[in-house]
Amino acid sequence: MSNNEMPKAYEPGAVENKWYPKWEASGCFHGKVNPDKPAYSIVIPPPNVTGILHLGHVLNNTLQDILIRWKKMQGYEVCWYPGTDHAGIATESKVEKTLREAGKPGRDELGREKFIETVWNWKKECGGTIIRQLRKLGTACDWERERFTMDAGLSDAVRKVFVELYNKGYIYRGQRMINWCPVAQTALSDEEVIHKDVSGKFYHYKYPLSDGTGHLVIATTRPETMLGDSAVAVHPGDERYKSLIGKTIDLPLTGRKIPIIADQHADPEKGTGCVKITPAHDPNDFEVGKRHNLEFITVMNNDATMNAKAGAEFEGMDRFACRKKVIELLDELDLMVKIEEITHNVGFSERADVPIETMISAQWFVNMQELAKPAIAAVRDGKINFHPARWSKTYFHWMENIQDWCISRQIWWGHRIPAWYNDATDEIFVGLEVPEGDNWRQEEDVLDTWFSSWLWPFSVQGWPEKTEELKYFYPTSDLVTGPDIIFFWVARMIMAGYEFMDELPFKNVYFTSIIRDAQGRKLSKSLGNSPDPLDVIDTYGADALRFSIIYIAPVGMDIRYSNEKCELGRNFANKLWNACRFRQMHGSVTAGFRNLDSIDHAKLTADEKWIISWMDETIIMINKALDDFKFHLAAHEIYEMVWSSFCDWFIEASKVRLYGDEASKQQTLVVLDFILFKILRLLHPFMPFITEELAHQMGFLTEGESIMNEAYPKPLKDKEIPSIMNPEPNIIDLVEAKFQLIRAGRALRAQYEIPPGKKINYHLKTVDTETEQFMQGEVAGIKLMLNAAEVTISTAEFMHEDGPAPAQIVNAGTIYLPLAGLINIDDELKKLKKQQNQIFGWMKGSQAKLSNEKFLSKAPEKVINEAREHLNELEMKLKRVEESIATLK
């Protein structure tokens, strides 16, 4: 029980720094195998070990934290598995850059073993940044179970999976057309290629026929690849070129002759109908090349410079410099026809942000066809549910058209492929251990980072060992992630779950919103619109950031974020803090704060029944919203409950009894405590720091206790408090009507600019005698909340001979404000008529603009709509002024 007076203002920094270490040290976050409790588990989408916290992480991890804390308070044994991803390409690039900037030997100078040792050292010194930052957010991760995708156990799992899939015939090594990043110099999967619309050129030029009878015109965006052309294709049904099929053309700049072939790939309706075929540098041409047994000529090196096969004149040139040179030479040979400026779709390396090249390379692949089948069925049959559900369409489209997964990467940091080559016998050995004998060399390539991540839900729990925690916490319960990795990660985890655990990996997937700035742009460093969450936390507090970002995040819709929106969360925290300070000013916590057992339930006032009933409704709505993954609705419900129902109405209405007799005061304090403790528990998953602090400041909890271990509120049952659960049928409606008439009375005061501190009189004409009797019983509170000298209440008509009395109709009847002695009627009428004339003038100008055909034909639609809205606002304002004039006459 707290005996100390609360600080006047909430200081989030001090509170956050106090509670997080206490939670962690006391084991609040640690999940244990507990057969007496149902299990609830989540795996964190492992951030890259190179990562730093951004607002996407804030949203994602706040949602997970809400689920974990909510389920823990509901009585589940919870476990939130944290960890980081080794992020092969990103980490290798980061360390290389660090070495380069420090003037130290780079990757190639160090050699493989020394470089990998250097990366591990970097990881040890710098790789835990984002994990430390997540603590600042208040995440209830089980840090005792933190994992890294290259931990020994997880690495064992990766090797086992590779070997098993190889032995089943799913993994194979082959020459295929792959995506190639010339900066990272590694293969990329299709999902690691980002397609962008960019400005470019469409080059049209001639290929002379070898017999000298003419030429063919082809068009391409990549003329440098012509140096690797093996044929020109025309459609077999294209009458223009049937006579040329089988002939050859002289390929400019190369001295080679290449055939004209017939293939369905050529579209007679597109361009000239002639297509250059470069089998080694285009996926469609690759298939054409296989069908026609063409030569596959690779003309680029791994860094996208031209190689010897491109010709001596071009060897060593950058691909774009080569493009320019080829065009110049074709122009000199009078072979250029035209160059078109176009916008076209180009694939970029996700990591290096440069155009990829499609090249033929020997790589390792996984055939995904069989793996995809149970994963498709799991979502289709509703065993796994997506939220929002529309993402299932995206999932099915990809899964039903799934391609083989290129899993090898030409880098050093990662899981080295467990395959060995025998140069003496040309054998390939795949296994968990090094093969016996001589002449074996291990595969140089490492596995795609996602090849370890797809095992995450069970590898973090000790698989392939059959651990007790795996039996208890797997399958995990829910997954919260971004829709951008639905293919990279979500789909593959589902496939891996069924293949290796024979069970789904999770039951629900919640896809987070995309966060944009106030202008609707995606957040990025280059635009300077991506705030540092730690700066936001320093300014507003972690709870304010958490609550604000959830409050503005409707399901499936983009978030428009600005730091100023965190004022909502900060103001909410301050409102709650001040409510608790007000309560503490009236004495220590009462004995009945958990169950109201210390008071006679039959003596509960209408206001007390109303707030308890409203609390029950809020509890039901919040639990339903969280069950449905509608986090923002839950945030809105609790905000409305705390700010409006509890603080603005119940606390204000309670002041009459708090300053009345001792029995009334004590009963009111018990109800205040009962509701406040429920509020703190309801709000805890959203705002963990302030709720823990207030639970202790108020004396609801003592040293060594945590609100995390308290039960999440449930609605009351009939047997607990019958008089509340079954109040007089309309008692709640009457209390609502009372608060509505108070709002109306305050609005009348404001309309006539009567100072808030001035005592005034009101009259309420009620709709019936029952309402009259109820309001008569509540008159002391009504007077207090209206700051009224008198409030007369009657079912009779109100006679106001002394002067005008403007009124508002409410559910309880009609509330009047007699103005005699409060304002100068003549001066008020003059002011209103002046306003009336001003509005007439503004409306005349607005109407003239909207009847002007020139304006309507030339102005943007947005401007016209704004003009119409302005006129509507003026008409509404005029109506209010005219009503006020009529009232005062």
Side-chain angles (χ1 to χ4, degrees):
M1 187 173 292
S2 175
N3 295 314
N4 301 320
E5 185 180 347
M6 285 173 59
K8 288 186 177 180
Y10 174 51
E11 297 293 341
V15 169
E16 291 160 14
N17 291 335
K18 175 174 78 173
W19 282 112
Y20 199 89
K22 285 189 175 184
W23 288 332
E24 194 169 354
S26 62
C28 284
F29 304 154
H30 185 54
K32 300 172 184 175
V33 174
N34 185 350
D36 296 331
K37 286 186 176 183
Y40 180 88
S41 59
I42 290 180
V43 291
I44 199 171
N48 287 353
V49 70
T50 58
I52 57 172
L53 196 70
H54 57 63
L55 284 174
H57 294 127
V58 169
L59 173 62
N60 187 295
N61 286 281
T62 297
L63 294 172
Q64 292 174 82
D65 198 51
I66 288 170
L67 290 171
I68 280 288
R69 290 175 184 270
W70 174 53
K71 288 296 183 181
K72 183 179 179 69
M73 295 177 77
Q74 283 190 323
Y76 288 80
E77 185 68 30
V78 303
C79 187
W80 182 6
Y81 288 87
T84 48
D85 193 295
H86 67 277
I89 295 174
T91 304
E92 188 158 306
S93 300
K94 176 76 173 178
V95 174
E96 281 194 90
K97 182 182 178 185
T98 302
L99 292 172
R100 192 164 54 248
E101 290 174 349
K104 294 181 178 179
R107 174 183 184 272
D108 295 333
E109 292 91 337
L110 287 170
R112 186 172 196 134
E113 287 187 18
K114 283 286 186 185
F115 179 72
I116 291 174
E117 183 183 327
T118 301
V119 180
W120 275 110
N121 289 336
W122 177 89
K123 187 259 178 188
K124 186 177 180 181
E125 293 173 16
C126 310
T129 301
I130 195 163
I131 294 299
R132 291 190 295 273
Q133 291 173 329
L134 283 172
R135 285 173 160 88
K136 291 287 289 180
L137 190 62
T139 53
C141 294
D142 189 344
W143 298 114
E144 295 178 45
R145 300 186 190 276
E146 184 183 345
R147 298 291 186 265
F148 177 55
T149 50
M150 283 182 64
D151 284 348
L154 276 70
S155 296
D156 289 344
V158 167
R159 284 191 293 272
K160 179 177 173 61
V161 164
F162 186 94
V163 172
E164 283 190 12
L165 292 179
Y166 179 82
N167 290 336
K168 287 185 76 169
Y170 290 177
I171 286 182
Y172 64 94
R173 190 170 189 269
Q175 288 270 352
R176 295 261 320 256
M177 179 65 66
I178 53 99
N179 306 303
W180 185 263
C181 174
V183 173
Q185 294 193 32
T186 182
L188 303 173
S189 67
D190 290 342
E191 293 73 38
E192 292 169 298
V193 177
I194 306 300
H195 291 274
K196 302 180 185 180
D197 287 329
V198 298
S199 298
K201 291 180 170 63
F202 212 22
Y203 301 92
H204 300 252
Y205 49 84
K206 304 171 188 175
Y207 279 177
L209 294 168
S210 299
D211 61 9
T213 59
H215 61 262
L216 297 179
V217 175
I218 62 93
T220 182
T221 57
R222 301 163 65 215
E224 68 277 10
T225 63
M226 69 164 286
L227 303 171
D229 283 2
S230 296
V232 173
V234 296
H235 193 276
D238 194 332
E239 295 294 336
R240 294 172 295 176
Y241 305 115
K242 270 191 175 181
S243 62
L244 300 179
I245 295 169
K247 291 188 175 185
T248 63
I249 61 105
D250 291 337
L251 185 62
L253 313 179
T254 68
R256 292 190 289 115
K257 294 182 186 299
I258 60 173
I260 300 170
I261 62 173
D263 195 275
Q264 299 283 344
H265 172 57
D267 184 353
E269 303 299 320
K270 192 173 180 180
T272 63
C274 303
V275 183
K276 63 187 285 298
I277 303 298
T278 320
H281 290 279
D282 181 273
N284 294 315
D285 295 2
F286 176 79
E287 297 299 329
V288 175
K290 287 198 296 184
R291 286 196 291 270
H292 294 270
N293 198 28
L294 299 175
E295 185 179 3
F296 288 71
I297 306 168
T298 300
V299 295
M300 287 186 197
N301 297 311
N302 287 345
D303 62 356
T305 59
M306 309 310 289
N307 64 23
K309 288 186 178 180
E313 191 169 3
F314 305 104
E315 185 177 3
M317 293 182 74
D318 172 77
R319 55 181 165 165
F320 299 119
C322 179
R323 179 180 300 178
K324 185 178 179 182
K325 183 69 173 176
V326 164
I327 295 305
E328 288 174 358
L329 293 175
L330 289 174
D331 194 39
E332 289 175 12
L333 294 170
D334 200 26
L335 295 175
M336 286 302 300
V337 176
K338 63 178 177 178
I339 301 174
E340 290 181 86
E341 298 287 339
I342 61 167
T343 299
H344 63 138
N345 199 260
V346 176
F348 279 70
S349 166
E350 184 188 35
R351 289 294 175 197
D353 197 32
V354 296
I356 62 152
E357 288 294 335
T358 46
M359 303 171 74
I360 295 173
S361 179
Q363 302 288 339
W364 290 87
F365 297 88
V366 184
N367 184 317
M368 306 297 284
Q369 297 295 326
E370 292 302 314
L371 295 171
K373 289 177 181 177
I376 292 171
V379 177
R380 196 177 300 285
D381 297 345
K383 294 175 183 173
I384 298 175
N385 294 293
F386 287 175
H387 309 269
R390 71 167 189 270
W391 285 110
S392 60
K393 293 180 182 177
T394 306
Y395 174 83
F396 290 135
H397 177 74
W398 186 74
M399 292 289 279
E400 289 165 356
N401 297 279
I402 198 163
Q403 301 297 308
D404 289 1
W405 176 14
C406 178
I407 56 172
S408 47
R409 297 292 180 270
Q410 288 66 52
I411 56 176
W412 290 345
W413 175 244
H415 298 100
R416 195 167 177 179
I417 292 175
W420 287 261
Y421 303 97
N422 191 309
D423 294 327
T425 63
D426 289 334
E427 289 179 86
I428 297 179
F429 173 82
V430 171
L432 297 175
E433 305 294 337
V434 180
E436 296 179 358
D438 299 327
N439 301 316
W440 291 103
R441 60 178 177 84
Q442 188 174 356
E443 168 67 76
E444 295 286 328
D445 292 353
V446 300
L447 288 161
D448 178 11
T449 295
W450 297 101
F451 197 85
S452 52
S453 303
W454 76 324
L455 314 178
W456 190 248
F458 49 88
S459 65
V460 296
Q461 300 189 53
W463 188 91
E465 299 300 320
K466 294 180 180 178
T467 63
E468 288 302 310
E469 63 179 298
L470 189 63
K471 293 176 188 175
Y472 183 66
F473 284 118
Y474 189 91
T476 64
S477 306
D478 301 318
L479 178 73
V480 179
T481 189
D484 53 327
I485 55 175
I486 189 171
F487 310 134
F488 284 117
W489 197 45
V490 178
R492 288 173 181 160
M493 281 192 291
I494 297 172
M495 289 186 270
Y498 278 103
E499 177 66 19
F500 303 108
M501 295 295 295
D502 197 28
E503 196 170 6
L504 50 75
F506 31 71
K507 303 173 189 72
N508 293 287
V509 183
Y510 178 84
F511 292 106
T512 57
S513 306
I514 295 171
I515 304 178
R516 301 183 182 277
D517 66 11
Q519 299 174 45
R521 302 174 301 175
K522 285 190 76 170
L523 303 184
S524 70
K525 288 181 182 178
S526 60
L527 289 174
N529 66 347
S530 183
D532 183 342
L534 297 186
D535 291 342
V536 180
I537 289 171
D538 285 345
T539 304
Y540 296 96
D543 283 339
L545 173 58
R546 288 168 59 115
F547 190 83
S548 300
I549 207 164
I550 300 304
Y551 190 91
I552 63 174
V555 177
M557 294 175 64
D558 291 354
I559 298 171
R560 294 292 183 97
Y561 176 86
S562 65
N563 284 348
E564 291 72 27
K565 290 187 177 180
C566 291
E567 290 175 9
L568 177 142
R570 180 171 64 186
N571 293 344
F572 186 47
N574 289 337
K575 184 87 167 179
L576 181 62
W577 186 267
N578 289 335
C580 288
R581 283 192 74 243
F582 171 80
R583 164 60 190 90
Q584 198 187 60
M585 287 163 55
H586 293 275
S588 299
V589 66
T590 56
F593 71 88
R594 288 186 182 272
N595 50 32
L596 295 178
D597 284 353
S598 62
I599 59 174
D600 183 350
H601 300 156
K603 293 183 179 179
L604 287 167
T605 68
D607 287 345
E608 290 163 351
K609 292 176 182 179
W610 173 81
I611 194 64
I612 293 169
S613 175
W614 191 238
M615 171 56 77
D616 269 7
E617 289 297 315
T618 302
I619 291 168
I620 292 167
M621 288 187 287
I622 288 173
N623 279 296
K624 176 70 165 61
L626 292 178
D627 275 332
D628 294 340
F629 297 91
K630 294 178 179 177
F631 299 93
H632 74 294
L633 286 182
H636 280 251
E637 292 292 350
I638 198 163
Y639 182 90
E640 179 65 23
M641 170 68 198
V642 174
W643 191 289
S644 179
S645 302
F646 184 67
C647 294
D648 288 354
W649 292 113
F650 182 69
I651 287 180
E652 291 302 311
S654 298
K655 288 179 179 177
V656 169
R657 289 170 61 79
L658 284 174
Y659 299 110
D661 62 82
E662 187 61 24
S664 296
K665 176 183 176 180
Q666 284 305 310
Q667 177 172 308
T668 301
L669 290 177
V670 169
V671 176
L672 278 169
D673 289 344
F674 177 73
I675 298 298
L676 258 178
F677 191 44
K678 283 202 170 190
I679 283 172
L680 295 180
R681 287 179 288 148
L682 267 183
L683 187 57
H684 177 72
F686 301 85
M687 303 179 83
F689 292 110
I690 191 172
T691 50
E692 184 78 84
E693 177 70 10
L694 286 173
H696 286 266
Q697 287 280 359
M698 294 299 297
F700 297 140
L701 300 177
T702 59
E703 185 65 32
E705 294 180 315
S706 172
I707 196 170
M708 282 185 72
N709 297 321
E710 292 293 320
Y712 204 68
K714 295 178 181 179
L716 296 171
K717 297 175 183 175
D718 290 1
K719 65 180 181 181
E720 293 180 77
I721 308 181
S723 62
I724 298 170
M725 298 309 296
N726 301 289
E728 301 89 313
N730 62 344
I731 192 77
I732 305 303
D733 291 339
L734 286 169
V735 175
E736 295 276 4
K738 178 182 72 169
F739 293 146
Q740 184 195 28
L741 78 86
I742 291 166
R743 281 193 293 270
R746 289 171 175 175
L748 287 169
R749 178 193 286 269
Q751 183 179 348
Y752 292 95
E753 299 177 357
I754 300 167
K758 186 175 180 64
K759 295 278 187 180
I760 55 179
N761 297 329
Y762 290 92
H763 177 78
L764 173 64
K765 177 190 175 298
T766 60
V767 290
D768 53 39
T769 53
E770 182 185 17
T771 304
E772 178 190 11
Q773 290 170 3
F774 177 80
M775 295 301 170
Q776 290 285 10
E778 300 289 319
V779 72
I782 294 171
K783 284 171 63 177
L784 177 70
M785 297 178 80
L786 285 174
N787 193 26
E790 288 295 333
V791 176
T792 55
I793 300 170
S794 168
T795 55
E797 289 295 331
F798 178 54
M799 309 303 292
H800 45 98
E801 295 90 348
D802 294 340
Q808 280 202 21
I809 298 173
V810 291
N811 291 341
T814 305
I815 183 169
Y816 294 87
L817 171 60
L819 293 175
L822 294 175
I823 63 171
N824 186 304
I825 304 297
D826 291 336
D827 287 349
E828 184 68 18
L829 279 169
K830 285 178 185 177
K831 183 179 78 172
L832 289 169
K833 286 179 178 177
K834 184 179 178 182
Q835 286 181 7
Q836 185 183 39
N837 289 331
Q838 282 179 327
I839 296 169
F840 275 138
W842 294 333
M843 286 177 62
K844 188 175 179 182
S846 185
Q847 289 164 342
K849 181 187 282 188
L850 286 168
S851 60
N852 186 324
E853 290 298 329
K854 191 173 180 181
F855 169 75
L856 294 174
S857 63
K858 292 189 175 182
E861 185 178 354
K862 182 183 177 185
V863 173
I864 296 171
N865 289 335
E866 287 173 352
R868 285 177 177 146
E869 287 172 13
H870 179 58
L871 179 59
N872 288 337
E873 288 170 5
L874 290 173
E875 288 170 346
M876 294 298 293
K877 193 171 184 180
L878 179 64
K879 183 181 178 183
R880 290 195 297 271
V881 169
E882 288 176 339
E883 287 173 352
S884 295
I885 290 172
T887 300
L888 295 179
K889 282 184 175 178

